[in-house]
Amino acid sequence: MRHLLDTVHLSREDAIRILDVAETMSDVSGREVKKLPALRGRTVVNLFFEDSTRTRISFEAAAKRLSADVINFSAKGSSVSKGESLKDTAQTLQAIGADAVVIRHPASGAAQRLARTDWIDAAIVNAGDGTHAHPTQALLDALTLRRELAARAGVDPTGRGLDGARVVIVGDVLHSRVARSDVWLMHTLGARVTLVAPPTLLPVGVETWPCDVEYNLDAALATGPDAVMMLRVQAERMHGAFFPSVAEYSRRWGLNEHRLGLLTPEAIIMHPGPMNRGLEISAAAADSPRSRVLAQVANGVAVRMAVLYLVLSGAPSTEGA
Amino acid sequence: MSNTPADAAQPSAAREVLTAAEIDRALTRIAHEIVETTKGGQDLVLLGIPSRGVHLAARLAEKLEAITGRPAAEILGSLDVTLYRDDLRHSATRTPAPTLVPPAGVDAMTVVLVDDVLYSGRTIRAALDALNDLGRPGIVRLAVLVDRGHRELPIRADHVGKNLPTSKNESVRVELTESDGADRVLITDRAETKGSAL
C-alpha cells in the first residue's frame, strides 16, 4: 500500500489486512511499554489545514508508538497564513525529508493532489479532505463493529469482514466525509448500510451509492440494526438553512431516550465525534452502555498505527498499488 | 510415514532431511532437555515465533505436560517479531501476527523461544528485543528444530533438533501438519522455493 486516500478504491482484501494489523497493534496499547520500533528513523508530518483534536492526536500517538519522528503542522500560525501554496508547503516537507504526510484539508481532493504530483515522494494518508473522504475514521468504525460482531458470535475477528451486519447512519450526510467513507468501506466488507437524513442533508446522487436511504429514523430503527452511527451536525459547513430549527432536527433525527428504547439489546451506538449533545445525540444515549464512542477513539490509534506501518514498510520494488 | 517413494516425485532437488518420526523424536528430546535444565519445568514459559515456531511450541508444551503434569495452556504463548525486524524497509510488507503471553507473564520466568530454523540469527535478535518490551524474563533460552549455520550475529541455540550443514544457496523448508499438511524438513535449491527459513 503506497497511499491511503479514500475507501472507494480499497479492496476487501486490503481493508481486512488493515483491520487485522490494527488488531495486533491494539495489543500494544495494553502493554507496559507502549512502543514498537517498526518506524524508527522515519518522519511523519501531520499537515493539518483544518481544526482537529482527536484525529491529529490519534495520528500523533500512532506514529509515536511506532517510534517515528512526528512533526505537527497546523495552518494557523504557519506560512499558509502568509499565503504559501499547497505546492510550496509540500515541497518544503519534501526538502525536510518527510516519509509520510498525514493531510487534513478543507478542499475535497487535496490528498489526491499531493499523491499524484511530483511535489513530494512521501506516502500520503488522507485524514479528511473537505466533504470527500476520511478513510481512517471509516476503518476504525469497521474495526469497532467487527470486534463487536465477533464478540457476539464468540469468534476471533481476524480475517473477517462485516458480512450480514446492518448499520444505520443518521444525520448530516451531505457534509460528512465520514459517511461517504463508511458507506463504501462497510459495503466492501459486506455490511448493509442505511442512510437516514432529512432530504436537504442528502447529497445529489446518493441513489447511486451502495446503500439504502430512509427519511424516517423510527422506521430505520424498527428494522433492528446492529449499529447506529450518529453524524455530527456540521454547523461550520452550513451557510444556508438545511432544516427549520435545531429543536425540530433533534426531535425527528436525534437519538433521544425514546429511540434508545427501540434498539435491540445488542445494538451499539457510534459517533465520530465531536458530539453535539442534545442535538443529534442525547446525553443518555452518549453515556449509555451501548455507546462505543471511547472504544472508537482507542481503536483509532490502532487503525492509524496499522495504516502508517503498511504505507511505510516494504521495499519500494515489492509494492503493488 | 512420509518417507516413501512418493518423495522421489518431489521437484528435482528437494531432499528430505528429517522425517515425521525424526521430528517427533527431536521434539521429545528437546522437551526432556528443557525439563532437565529448568529443574522440572518450574517458572517455564514457551514462546513460539510465528508461524511455524508457534506450532512447534504447542507440541513441546504438550510433551512437557506429559512429563511434568503442568497444563500446556499455562506455559504456552507466541511472540511476534515482525515489528522488531531489521529488514522492514528491504523486503515485502509483512503482516504482524498476534503476540500471546500466558497468564503468569514473563517477568522473572525462564522463557524458551521456539523457532523452526536458526539461520542468520536476525529473527532471534528481533525476538529478544520484542521480549524486552513485554517484561524482564529471568532466563531466556532458544530451542530450534533445525540449526543450518551461517550466523550473522553472535547468537546460538540451547536446544537443537538437528544441526544441518547447508550451503547459502540452499533453502531449508520446515513443513508441519498444522500449516502444510505433513511433517517433514526439506532442503531445496534456493531458486526453486521461496523458503520459510528466514
Side-chain angles (χ1 to χ4, degrees):
Chain A
M1 201 166 69
R2 175 89 174 87
H3 305 293
L4 179 66
L5 304 175
D6 56 37
T7 55
V8 179
H9 299 98
L10 201 60
S11 68
R12 183 182 163 98
E13 189 188 18
D14 282 344
I16 288 178
R17 186 176 197 199
I18 295 172
L19 297 184
D20 288 351
V21 174
E23 283 291 350
T24 64
M25 294 291 186
S26 66
D27 295 343
V28 175
S29 308
R31 293 193 338 201
E32 203 171 321
V33 180
K34 295 181 184 58
K35 199 117 179 143
L36 293 164
L39 299 184
R40 209 161 60 87
R42 322 296 305 271
T43 302
V44 175
V45 177
N46 286 327
L47 185 58
F48 277 59
F49 291 92
E50 212 181 63
D51 294 339
S52 163
T53 309
R54 68 200 71 218
T55 305
R56 191 183 58 72
I57 290 177
S58 183
F59 267 111
E60 185 172 351
K64 285 183 171 169
R65 283 192 188 160
L66 291 171
S67 306
D69 295 312
V70 183
I71 299 173
N72 285 313
F73 171 105
S74 65
K76 276 178 196 152
S78 74
S79 290
V80 171
S81 48
K82 299 177 191 167
E84 187 174 63
S85 66
L86 182 58
K87 177 175 178 177
D88 288 329
T89 305
Q91 286 178 331
T92 303
L93 298 180
Q94 170 75 6
I96 286 171
D99 295 298
V101 173
V102 175
I103 180 173
R104 151 89 44 119
H105 200 282
S108 300
Q112 259 91 345
R113 189 82 188 97
L114 278 191
R116 289 187 189 158
T117 55
D118 57 0
W119 301 341
I120 185 162
D121 298 328
I124 307 295
V125 178
N126 187 357
D129 58 334
T131 57
H132 169 238
H134 193 352
T136 56
Q137 176 71 40
L139 286 161
L140 76 88
D141 290 338
L143 183 71
T144 307
L145 180 57
R146 185 175 84 154
R147 208 176 275 175
E148 200 69 35
L149 296 171
R152 218 182 283 169
V155 295
D156 178 11
T158 307
R160 289 168 181 274
L162 298 173
D163 301 287
R166 282 180 306 150
V167 182
V168 170
I169 300 178
V170 190
D172 185 0
V173 177
L174 178 62
H175 298 103
S176 178
R177 51 197 174 208
V178 175
R180 282 170 179 76
S181 288
D182 269 330
V183 165
W184 291 98
L185 178 66
M186 292 190 175
H187 170 73
T188 303
L189 290 173
R192 205 175 123 201
V193 180
T194 305
L195 295 175
V196 183
T200 50
L201 286 177
L202 285 168
V204 173
V206 71
E207 63 281 356
T208 63
W209 295 7
C211 63
D212 302 325
V213 175
E214 172 68 68
Y215 302 107
N216 184 325
L217 180 54
D218 291 321
L221 296 184
T223 62
D226 297 292
V228 179
M229 188 175 318
M230 305 307 296
L231 299 172
R232 185 171 65 91
V233 174
Q234 303 197 28
E236 78 275 17
R237 293 185 210 275
M238 291 193 195
H239 306 300
F242 290 95
F243 45 83
S245 76
V246 166
E248 181 172 336
Y249 180 89
S250 182
R251 196 162 62 243
R252 292 194 60 183
W253 291 285
L255 188 60
N256 53 29
E257 279 87 314
H258 166 66
R259 296 200 170 103
L260 206 50
L262 298 177
L263 296 174
T264 59
E266 312 86 51
I268 58 166
I269 298 168
M270 298 199 280
H271 192 300
M275 294 186 278
N276 295 311
R277 284 174 184 250
L279 180 45
E280 73 267 359
I281 187 165
S282 71
D287 300 329
S288 83
R290 300 162 177 284
S291 168
R292 292 293 177 275
V293 174
L294 293 177
Q296 286 176 277
V297 176
N299 290 343
V301 177
V303 157
R304 287 164 182 133
M305 287 171 79
V307 169
L308 288 173
Y309 167 69
L310 290 170
V311 297
L312 282 176
S313 65
S317 57
T318 59
E319 281 296 303
Chain B
M1 60 182 234
S2 63
N3 196 7
T4 61
D7 288 329
Q10 275 298 311
S12 56
R15 184 154 58 81
E16 181 166 314
V17 286
L18 279 182
T19 63
E22 284 168 334
I23 290 172
D24 190 60
R25 279 199 295 276
L27 290 175
T28 305
R29 176 172 54 76
I30 291 173
H32 281 282
E33 284 177 12
I34 290 172
V35 174
E36 193 182 345
T37 52
T38 57
K39 300 189 173 63
Q42 285 178 341
D43 297 335
L44 180 66
V45 172
L46 291 184
L47 294 180
I49 298 173
S51 56
R52 288 179 183 75
V54 176
H55 305 316
L56 293 173
R59 294 191 192 183
L60 280 175
E62 274 176 33
K63 290 184 185 296
L64 286 166
E65 182 176 342
I67 302 166
T68 66
R70 270 195 74 196
E74 278 181 25
I75 61 165
L76 179 63
S78 65
L79 180 68
D80 185 65
V81 306
T82 309
L83 298 164
Y84 293 85
R85 299 193 79 95
D86 57 10
D87 60 354
L88 287 174
R89 294 172 70 172
H90 307 289
S91 57
T93 305
R94 298 164 186 266
T95 304
T99 290
L100 303 165
V101 179
V106 297
D107 287 331
M109 305 293 262
T110 298
V111 174
V112 179
L113 299 173
V114 183
D115 204 0
D116 53 355
V117 179
L118 180 58
Y119 182 28
S120 66
R122 289 177 189 270
T123 301
I124 304 306
R125 202 270 325 151
L128 291 171
D129 280 355
L131 191 54
N132 197 39
D133 281 357
L134 289 179
R136 187 177 182 280
I139 298 171
V140 183
R141 295 188 195 285
L142 174 61
V144 297
L145 182 60
V146 173
D147 181 349
R148 61 168 294 194
H150 303 287
R151 213 78 74 241
E152 293 164 7
L153 295 170
I155 281 171
R156 60 164 177 77
D158 301 280
H159 310 288
V160 178
K162 186 173 175 67
N163 281 300
L164 209 57
T166 57
S167 134
K168 277 197 149 189
N169 298 324
E170 291 169 328
S171 170
V172 175
R173 201 168 77 207
V174 172
E175 296 187 348
L176 297 173
T177 314
E178 294 91 328
S179 48
D180 314 286
D183 280 356
R184 57 183 183 174
V185 178
L186 302 172
I187 290 189
T188 54
D189 286 338
R190 182 168 287 279
E192 289 177 39
T193 69
K194 280 179 281 175
S196 63
L198 290 172

